[in-house]
Amino acid sequence: MASRQISLALGFLAFLWAVLGAQNKTEEVQCRLMAKFNLSGYVDAKNHSLVIAGLFPIHSRIIPVDEAILEPVSPMCEGFNFRGFRWMKTMIHTIKEINERKDILPNHTLGYQIFDSCYTISKAMESSLVFLTGQEEFKPNFRNSTGSTLAALVGSGGSSLSVAASRILGLYYMPQVGYTSSCSILSDKFQFPSYLRVLPSDNLQSEAIVNLIKHFGWVWVGAIAADDDYGKYGVKTFKEKMESANLCVAFSETIPKVYSNEKMQKAVKAVKTSTAKVIVLYTSDIDLSLFVLEMIHHNITDRTWIATEAWITSALIAKPEYFPYFGGTIGFATPRSVIPGLKEFLYDVHPNKDPNDVLTIEFWQTAFNCTWPNSSVPYNVDHRVNMTGKEDRLYDMSDQLCTGEEKLEDLKNTYLDTSQLRITNNVKQAVYAIAHGLDHLSRCQEGQGPFGSNQQCAYIPTFDFWQLMYYMKEIKFKSHEDKWVILDDNGDLKNGHYDVLNWHLDDEGEISFVTVGRFNFRSTNFELVIPTNSTIFWNTESSRRPDSFCTQVCPPGTRKGIRQGQPICCFDCIPCADGYVSEKPGQRECDPCGEDDWSNAEKSKCVPKLVEFLAYEEALGFTLVILSIFGALVLLAVTVVYVIHRHTPLVKANDRELSFLIQMSLVITVLSSLLFIGKPCNWSCMARQITLALGFCLCLSSILGKTISLFFAYRISVSKTRLISMHPIFRKLIVLICVVGEIGICAAYLVLEPPRMFKNIEIQNVKIIFECNEGSIEFLCSIFGFDVLLALLCFLTTFVARQLPDNYYEGKCITFGMLVFFIVWISFVPAYLSTKGKFKVAVEIFAILASSYGLLGCLFLPKCFIILLRPKRNTDETVGGRVPTVDRSIQLTSASVSSELNSTTVSTVLDE
């Protein structure tokens, strides 16, 4: 079939070449046509100033020509199309209406020459050549095939047909106004300079379809197109707009123009196996009819079909028996209209009016399933290849003769159905567009025209096509419904809207087209309006809106993971990493949480991080507070004991003022641990380390004053020298110097690089650990390094003096206290470095309390035991031993330390 159509096309080109070549021959040589095109239609050109041509698909296909015939043959047509017949009648009705009007072309009348395109390219080309050249003349005389001036063409009834016709008519710049051809390529004025249309381009329709898909949340959609310009360019534009909207086309298949079982089954398989439940059909009703039968044959249901304006209201598809498979179809249609007087005109048809009107006879026979008497016009003929691959040759002609008394009122077919006049209204507007263009041309005032330097006018009937196109490009008029019809620079409808239709089944069992919304367009502005209260029928098992996806939308807490080599709509749902969330379904990336937030367990939202610090309310913090307060109370109790018994020998021994300083410093160190508990802030971070350092400095420097006295006592006992007296002021001076030095370092620390509160989020991501950033490590090491130095001096001096007489235990007590101090802080270092968060603070507090309790226990508890429980031992003799009077000028006290070595008495007097 395809090769035969190619040979026919070559024959047409040869014909055209012969016609054009005749212009170059002499008058004596005449060119005659070898054959005529087999065309059917209507002509009314006599007594009219102008003729408007028309092309309509009154039949749906051609009868295949016998391939044994070598000469080019113009085939006959079959498959009467009631819809195309109504379009053709609408054009005739509109021309008659214009001729009756006095405001349009008042001095001229319009005729018409209409041919049947049979919905095939070859017939469209044959008709176009006849419009230009005629078939009767020996010499071609363009635009004179009917004897009247041909002005423009309305047609051709399909995008592929319009493309074919326009490529010929465009050579002569002949205006062509389309009424149903929406293919986007026809907007290309370089290829089709004289093509206009009263409907929007498929660019706009594809935009509308994508908006509809987005509105219902579909992301995975199939596409099936007719194997022609309308389908191919429509799907191409649709894919581009889907891609720009980040939506996916699951599959794209074509319906063959010439039946091919292999190609048809491929399309059927794609629909059957794909997970896409929503499918766009870019095809005409005629091309779609066989595909519909295939869907029924394979019992494919539970699909939602998106229709284009080419078939959404077609009675060829919208049949009740098809509803289980195509019910719920949703799509776009040009606006519905009511054309006054058209219904009556459509009913005014009868074969008796013209016995030679073969189209009316065929209409009558097909509508009433009878045979008109004495007529050889066949009907219900089908030479197509059926689904088994065999060719049918059916001449289903009824044995019943038509009486002529049949009533059209009893019919229910597409021809008489004026409830959905959509494309029919486009036919009317196309005719009016040409009429208004001619009217503007005829009203040109001499000397004010648009042509030439002399501002010339064009006149009817001598104008050229290009001159009429000048007016057609600027066409702007109001329709019978008082709506503006305006064309843009590409010859497409500029402003308007689509109706969004949905297929329902009414109470009578017929399919009804329910308007559920509209798509408004104005230049580059688009708006899809579907009210929430619209009743949309969904042909699904649940009767709910279908879902169409390759992969279900990723829930919150996950993100889309790309599948290599697959569309973006096919993905894996990957859980968000810790600290990242996706709050909305279908997110491509997980969003990081803020610094103070963390993802919840579902990774669906950010929640505030857990805040960690050693709080007073928790058990550990409360316990440490109790221990700190208890230690302070014990020290105060010891101080009270010392104050009460301040005049006793044991209290006065080895400088009681230093003892009070040690007690006060231990209270400071014990209570400084409270600064480590609670939420850190800048002031507490600065206060706690400084307070601790100064407290230990005061304590250790006081102990150093005591140990130096013991050290001198031991040196005297060893060297057997004369009694040496160390005045108490020197011991106080040691303490003052040490404390002042520590204060100086601390002041520099606070001024230059003080500690600050710090939110530590690095240790544990789910927590914010409030801790102190100690600032300068060098300063911190200097502060506590000074305390360590004092502790070492204390330990060395008291360790040397540990062998003083046994009746005085202070040297040994200080030695044990220093040992405890070192053991605690040496063990503190690894424990402190190995812990994190609040436990790190707790370890430091334990070290502070342990060392403080150790010094308290070693330095003061033995003396308190003697003072309170063994008061008889609290005497000068017991505490100081015998002191011989070597120098009566020296006042001896109960704080004397005695030691006898080798029968020699050595005394060191420790003044108060």
Side-chain angles (χ1 to χ4, degrees):
M1 179 66 72
S3 61
R4 188 60 180 169
Q5 289 188 352
I6 293 174
S7 63
L8 288 174
L10 292 174
F12 300 151
L13 293 176
F15 164 78
L16 183 60
W17 179 263
V19 171
L20 296 176
Q23 298 180 11
N24 297 325
K25 296 194 179 288
T26 61
E27 293 294 331
E28 291 76 11
V29 179
Q30 295 180 341
C31 179
R32 294 181 178 273
L33 298 176
M34 297 176 59
K36 291 184 178 182
F37 294 130
N38 187 4
L39 299 174
S40 57
Y42 294 90
V43 177
D44 181 13
K46 293 182 179 180
N47 302 320
H48 294 294
S49 306
L50 299 167
V51 171
I52 298 178
L55 272 177
F56 297 94
I58 302 174
H59 290 86
S60 59
R61 57 190 175 271
I62 58 175
I63 299 175
V65 178
D66 189 353
E67 296 183 0
I69 301 176
L70 299 179
E71 296 180 359
V73 176
S74 179
M76 296 179 62
C77 302
E78 65 179 9
F80 194 84
N81 182 8
F82 289 106
R83 198 182 189 197
F85 193 63
R86 184 183 66 204
W87 295 346
M88 180 270 298
K89 285 289 187 179
T90 302
M91 177 177 173
I92 296 175
H93 171 263
T94 305
I95 289 177
K96 290 184 177 182
E97 179 181 281
I98 293 172
N99 288 336
E100 293 173 359
R101 294 179 60 168
K102 302 302 181 183
D103 56 335
I104 300 178
L105 296 172
N107 301 319
H108 305 279
T109 59
L110 300 176
Y112 54 83
Q113 183 179 20
I114 302 174
F115 288 134
D116 178 13
S117 68
C118 300
Y119 201 68
T120 56
I121 294 176
S122 60
K123 285 295 179 182
M125 293 180 68
E126 290 176 14
S127 302
S128 300
L129 292 171
V130 171
F131 288 142
L132 290 173
T133 65
Q135 298 189 84
E136 304 297 337
E137 294 79 14
F138 293 106
K139 294 180 180 180
N141 187 4
F142 298 127
R143 302 169 57 199
N144 196 25
S145 58
T146 61
S148 299
T149 301
L150 180 65
L153 168 69
V154 175
S156 299
S159 292
S160 294
L161 280 61
S162 294
V163 168
S166 186
R167 292 196 185 278
I168 295 177
L169 302 178
L171 297 174
Y172 305 97
Y173 221 62
M174 176 181 175
Q176 179 183 356
V177 183
Y179 55 88
T180 186
S181 302
S182 57
C183 182
S184 58
I185 195 176
L186 289 167
S187 299
D188 185 354
K189 296 299 102 178
F190 181 78
Q191 297 188 62
F192 309 99
S194 62
Y195 185 83
L196 310 170
R197 51 188 163 192
V198 291
L199 72 162
S201 163
D202 277 340
N203 281 325
L204 197 59
Q205 184 168 211
S206 296
E207 185 75 35
I209 293 174
V210 172
N211 274 266
L212 181 74
I213 292 171
K214 290 167 62 178
H215 175 81
F216 290 117
W218 299 321
V219 296
W220 185 242
V221 178
I224 292 180
D227 191 14
D228 57 13
D229 291 327
Y230 175 70
K232 290 178 180 178
Y233 284 101
V235 165
K236 177 179 177 291
T237 305
F238 170 69
K239 287 181 178 179
E240 292 172 353
K241 295 188 179 295
M242 286 283 286
E243 184 178 356
S244 63
N246 291 324
L247 303 175
C248 301
V249 177
F251 61 86
S252 179
E253 299 294 338
T254 58
I255 300 174
K257 295 287 287 185
V258 178
Y259 185 83
S260 168
N261 187 64
E262 180 182 356
K263 293 181 179 179
M264 186 67 78
Q265 295 308 315
K266 184 180 179 182
V268 172
K269 183 179 179 181
V271 175
K272 195 172 185 179
T273 59
S274 176
T275 57
K277 301 299 181 182
V278 178
I279 302 167
V280 177
L281 289 174
Y282 247 109
T283 176
S284 67
D285 55 345
I286 296 174
D287 292 328
L288 184 59
S289 57
L290 290 180
F291 179 78
V292 171
L293 296 177
E294 290 284 356
M295 292 294 102
I296 297 172
H297 176 71
H298 289 83
N299 194 29
I300 297 177
T301 58
D302 197 30
R303 299 293 189 277
T304 297
W305 306 92
I306 298 179
T308 60
E309 44 77 28
W311 67 274
I312 182 68
T313 58
S314 171
L316 184 63
I317 307 300
K319 296 180 179 179
E321 56 267 30
Y322 296 166
F323 193 80
Y325 308 93
F326 284 81
T329 292
I330 190 168
F332 298 90
T334 52
R336 177 183 171 185
S337 177
V338 176
I339 301 177
L342 178 62
K343 186 173 183 179
E344 294 75 12
F345 183 79
L346 294 177
Y347 275 90
D348 187 22
V349 59
H350 199 282
N352 286 332
K353 289 188 175 183
D354 185 359
N356 297 321
D357 186 355
V358 295
L359 292 178
T360 300
I361 293 174
E362 186 175 359
F363 160 76
W364 200 270
Q365 292 181 151
T366 306
F368 294 104
N369 194 24
C370 61
T371 302
W372 190 257
N374 303 319
S375 173
S376 60
V377 178
Y379 68 99
N380 290 347
V381 180
D382 193 348
H383 287 81
R384 291 175 296 178
V385 177
N386 62 22
M387 296 182 187
T388 63
K390 298 179 181 179
E391 184 177 299
D392 289 336
R393 294 186 181 274
L394 302 177
Y395 291 84
D396 187 14
M397 298 181 67
S398 174
D399 295 333
Q400 181 181 356
L401 294 177
C402 300
T403 63
E405 300 296 328
E406 292 85 4
K407 294 183 179 181
L408 293 175
E409 291 79 1
D410 297 334
L411 289 178
K412 288 185 178 181
N413 64 16
T414 308
Y415 172 73
L416 297 173
D417 183 8
T418 57
S419 63
Q420 296 290 332
L421 299 181
R422 299 179 185 273
I423 297 178
T424 303
N425 185 55
N426 289 348
V427 174
K428 180 181 180 70
Q429 303 309 328
V431 176
Y432 263 98
I434 297 172
H436 278 286
L438 291 170
D439 184 61
H440 291 167
L441 183 147
S442 67
R443 295 179 185 274
C444 179
Q445 298 293 326
E446 185 62 36
Q448 300 179 4
F451 308 114
S453 58
N454 298 327
Q455 296 183 331
Q456 299 174 354
C457 292
Y459 300 99
I460 296 175
T462 60
F463 65 90
D464 292 325
F465 286 142
W466 66 269
Q467 292 174 321
L468 176 59
M469 273 300 299
Y470 173 84
Y471 292 98
M472 293 290 292
K473 287 181 178 180
E474 299 178 353
I475 202 69
K476 179 180 179 181
F477 64 93
K478 276 190 175 182
S479 67
H480 64 282
E481 295 179 319
D482 203 32
K483 295 179 180 179
W484 284 103
V485 178
I486 306 173
L487 305 185
D488 61 19
D489 294 338
N490 295 322
D492 302 327
L493 189 64
K494 188 175 184 179
N495 303 327
H497 73 274
Y498 282 115
D499 287 336
V500 182
L501 303 184
N502 182 229
W503 284 14
H504 288 230
L505 200 64
D506 60 22
D507 296 335
E508 298 179 358
E510 298 292 332
I511 292 180
S512 60
F513 309 112
V514 179
T515 302
V516 295
R518 62 190 293 170
F519 182 78
N520 300 315
F521 57 90
R522 184 179 182 88
S523 297
T524 57
N525 298 323
F526 316 115
E527 181 188 19
L528 177 66
V529 180
I530 299 181
T532 54
N533 59 352
S534 296
T535 303
I536 301 178
F537 174 77
W538 301 109
N539 192 25
T540 59
E541 294 180 359
S542 62
S543 297
R544 296 181 179 179
R545 184 179 66 193
D547 293 322
S548 188
F549 51 80
C550 177
T551 305
Q552 282 190 337
V553 177
C554 290
T558 60
R559 65 174 178 85
K560 293 180 180 180
I562 298 174
R563 291 181 183 174
Q564 294 296 331
Q566 295 191 26
I568 60 173
C569 299
C570 300
F571 47 82
D572 297 315
C573 294
I574 302 174
C576 293
D578 291 337
Y580 289 78
V581 298
S582 60
E583 298 182 351
K584 299 178 180 179
Q587 285 192 207
R588 293 183 177 275
E589 298 293 340
C590 297
D591 301 320
C593 292
E595 185 179 279
D596 296 339
D597 296 326
W598 193 249
S599 55
N600 61 357
E602 294 78 19
K603 309 293 175 59
S604 59
K605 66 177 181 178
C606 293
V607 295
K609 288 183 178 180
L610 298 175
V611 176
E612 181 178 291
F613 57 88
L614 188 59
Y616 292 102
E617 297 80 8
E618 59 181 302
L620 180 59
F622 184 75
T623 301
L624 294 175
V625 170
I626 296 298
L627 290 175
S628 299
I629 296 175
F630 178 75
L633 293 176
V634 171
L635 284 165
L636 290 176
V638 171
T639 303
V640 170
V641 171
Y642 264 59
V643 171
I644 294 173
H645 299 85
R646 63 185 178 277
H647 298 297
T648 61
L650 193 59
V651 174
K652 294 181 356 179
N654 206 9
D655 205 328
R656 66 185 174 191
E657 286 78 9
L658 292 181
S659 297
F660 285 126
L661 287 176
I662 294 173
Q663 293 165 11
M664 183 181 68
S665 64
L666 288 177
V667 171
I668 294 173
T669 56
V670 168
L671 293 179
S672 70
S673 63
L674 297 177
L675 297 174
F676 289 81
I677 304 174
K679 184 177 179 180
C681 54
N682 288 335
W683 72 265
S684 64
C685 288
M686 290 188 288
R688 63 188 189 181
Q689 298 292 4
I690 300 302
T691 304
L692 178 63
L694 290 176
F696 273 128
C697 179
L698 180 60
C699 176
L700 294 172
S701 60
S702 300
I703 294 174
L704 181 61
K706 284 178 172 288
T707 57
I708 288 178
S709 298
L710 295 176
F711 176 75
F712 280 136
Y714 175 73
R715 293 299 298 171
I716 292 172
S717 66
V718 173
S719 61
K720 301 179 182 180
T721 59
R722 186 178 178 276
L723 180 67
I724 300 174
S725 175
M726 184 177 183
H727 199 278
I729 193 64
F730 295 116
R731 294 193 291 271
K732 298 346 182 256
L733 189 60
I734 291 173
V735 175
L736 179 61
I737 293 172
C738 292
V739 172
V740 170
E742 185 78 345
I743 291 175
I745 300 174
C746 291
Y749 179 31
L750 294 179
V751 171
L752 298 178
E753 292 189 59
R756 289 285 185 268
M757 191 276 289
F758 171 63
K759 295 180 181 180
N760 192 338
I761 60 176
E762 296 179 359
I763 297 176
Q764 295 187 41
N765 291 327
V766 296
K767 294 181 180 179
I768 299 177
I769 300 176
F770 284 92
E771 58 186 19
C772 291
N773 182 357
E774 304 301 345
S776 173
I777 300 299
E778 292 79 5
F779 273 114
L780 190 66
C781 291
S782 300
I783 292 172
F784 287 101
F786 187 73
D787 290 341
V788 171
L789 177 62
L790 293 177
L792 284 174
L793 292 175
C794 292
F795 177 74
L796 292 176
T797 53
T798 191
F799 181 78
V800 172
R802 71 187 185 282
Q803 296 179 358
L804 286 173
D806 291 339
N807 59 338
Y808 186 72
Y809 296 100
E810 189 165 24
K812 293 182 179 180
C813 290
I814 293 176
T815 302
F816 282 115
M818 289 297 99
L819 286 175
V820 171
F821 185 85
F822 279 115
I823 290 171
V824 169
W825 287 103
I826 290 174
S827 61
F828 157 78
V829 173
Y832 183 81
L833 295 177
S834 62
T835 54
K836 304 293 182 184
K838 63 182 180 180
F839 298 105
K840 190 174 186 178
V841 178
V843 168
E844 187 171 0
I845 295 175
F846 274 121
I848 295 170
L849 295 177
S851 59
S852 300
Y853 275 107
L855 292 174
L856 172 63
C858 293
L859 296 181
F860 297 108
L861 290 186
K863 290 185 179 182
C864 289
F865 177 78
I866 294 174
I867 293 171
L868 297 176
L869 300 179
R870 298 289 188 270
K872 294 181 179 181
R873 296 179 59 184
N874 190 6
T875 61
D876 291 336
E877 291 77 10
T878 303
V879 174
R882 185 189 305 173
V883 182
T885 305
V886 179
D887 187 352
R888 294 293 180 180
S889 65
I890 301 176
Q891 183 180 0
L892 299 179
T893 67
S894 59
S896 301
V897 178
S898 302
S899 179
E900 295 184 2
L901 295 173
N902 299 324
S903 301
T904 304
T905 300
V906 180
S907 297
T908 301
V909 179
L910 304 177
D911 296 333
E912 297 181 21

